[in-house]
Amino acid sequence: MSQATHAHPNDHGHGHGEAHDHHGPPAGFTRWMYTTNHKDIGTMYLWFAFAMFLMGGTMALLIRAELFQPGLQMLDPQFFNSLTTVHGLVMVFGAIMPAFVGFANWLIPMQVGAADMAFPRMNNWSFWLLIPAALLLVGSFFVPGGAAASGWTLYPPLIIQQGMSIDMTILAVHILGASSIMGSINIITTILNMRAPGMTLMRMPLFVWTWLITAYLLIAVMPVLAGAVTMLLTDRHFGTSFFNAAGGGDPTMFLHIFWFFGHPEVYIMILPAFGIVSQILPAFARKPLFGYASMVYATASIAILSFIVWGHHMFTVGMPAAGNLFFMYATILIAVPTGVKIFNWISTMWRGSMTFETPMLFAIGFICLFTIGGFSGLVLALAPVDITLHNTYYVVAHFHYVLVSGALFAIMGGIYFWLPKWTGHMYNEGMGKLHFWLSMIGFNVAFFPQHFLGLAGMPRRIPDYALQFHEWNAISTVGAFIFGLSQILFLYIVISTIRAGAKAEQKQWEGADSLEWTHLPTPLPYHTFETAPVIK
Amino acid sequence: MDIRQRKGAIVTGLVLAAMALGIYLVVILKFAR
């Protein structure tokens, strides 16, 4: 959207920073502990997500190191299962989701012309809840019996039988859910109630739209997960039998409840990525986003459809044929609004004056690789095919194409895109491009062979495998280490940008047109839009 | 944030919180019968 260019030039935030310097941040740790400033909280979310990303990434590299060759090399099988479980939980709840909330905190108030989030104190609380949750998750490795080893889906009956680490995981999931719900309430309220005059819903940048829809998804499904894990807890300690067959319960019911949360969760992790890519592409194609309204409706359609496809995770569990057919067709239907988005992004680039700075490379990488993940999703959506591929490495390849080259590439592109605005410093373009290409090559070497492994029948979540899977596993491990180690370069680039990057301009990217670029100086003052801009 | 915005924000926030709590209770109570 180009609405920001129509704003009155005098109604902007210039000068507010200078006029309110005495409202700047306090020094030291208390700045971060007590902050209610959306920028500070956004920064903390992003650093937290990066720390968890490195932690989850280390677990992934341990997994890949074990799988480098057949036989048990270095890890106890129980510990291996704990690694796959906590890797999933840490990456989903600790890295991807908090990173997007970090973007939301930084950008939504500025993009709608608000001074801050609607409930700043609750915003602080949402963030600080993450710390005990992360400590519980990671600390569960050190209790008797080791960390949860059931897979991130926490399926009973295994989850009912394991030790106290499960209780720690359940508590962590509850806390993370509460944090997400509070964050979502803040985001929806900010967008609905605090937009600047003239900032109508259909003028909002697409990132704001995608987060509005994502926040509704979160409020709808996080309580469902909370309900499911509460029932697990009462089954474990309070004598109930929700999921315990011995007491008349039904373990399959957990799968239904979990995936009623789990599938929208996938879209919670990808819709904000769509929003980020929809901001980056027009900026570097120097054209307005193609089909803005259809992008909004496609996002809403994906969100609605995400509620009626959970059964595709359960084709092999046993369901009436009509159920299989319903979930199969409903899942395939999601390709329609997703296709609308892909074609809109391609049309945005079509005949644009494109340049290929690092954010644009990540955005284009996102489109290419997310589309591969989408196609393998269509393959898995076919019930008869899924019966063969279920629980194989094909599934692992599929969701890593969606969540790493999808969500994570968008996050990295977004970091490079907004880093100049956030820090006032420009990153090193050559280093950024090197990081992109190392990530791109490492990622594909790591995960593309996993399609072949899955098609050949290699099951997921095993520390050892048959000899015929050796070559592709060895290649996959090499790729994983290239990808993983290249993230150290990313950390170096971010830190060197903050400390010693060249001075960035107010509108670093020629084609960027949302309010933070057109109305606010670089570096951003601590408080922005204390007087709302008027959007004409 | 002016007073109208503040009132609107509080109402919106409470409605959303009630939605979340309601969904949580419905999930548990549905299966606890």
Side-chain angles (χ1 to χ4, degrees), chain A residues 62-143:
Chain A
L62 283 172
I63 292 167
R64 283 311 325 167
E66 174 60 49
L67 293 173
F68 182 69
Q69 57 185 20
L72 294 175
Q73 326 299 325
M74 47 189 274
L75 302 178
D76 170 67
Q78 174 77 10
F79 182 59
F80 181 93
N81 287 344
S82 293
L83 283 176
T84 57
T85 303
V86 182
H87 163 75
L89 288 168
V90 161
M91 288 306 202
V92 168
F93 292 108
I96 302 285
M97 288 172 69
F100 282 131
V101 181
F103 276 98
N105 264 291
W106 258 105
L107 296 173
I108 287 174
M110 292 194 291
Q111 291 192 335
V112 300
D116 206 309
M117 298 292 273
F119 307 114
R121 289 184 183 86
M122 189 166 81
N123 204 15
N124 173 295
W125 184 228
S126 301
F127 171 76
W128 282 106
L129 276 178
L130 296 179
I131 307 297
L135 291 175
L136 279 168
L137 261 185
V138 179
S140 69
F141 273 108
F142 303 102
V143 300

Side-chain angles (χ1 to χ4, degrees), chain B residues 2-33:
Chain B
D2 65 31
I3 190 71
R4 251 183 73 239
Q5 271 184 324
R6 190 181 298 269
K7 279 185 180 168
I10 290 169
V11 171
T12 311
L14 286 175
V15 168
L16 294 170
M19 262 172 65
L21 186 62
I23 294 168
Y24 177 68
L25 291 176
V26 164
V27 169
I28 291 186
L29 294 178
K30 172 167 171 37
F31 297 110
R33 64 193 143 75

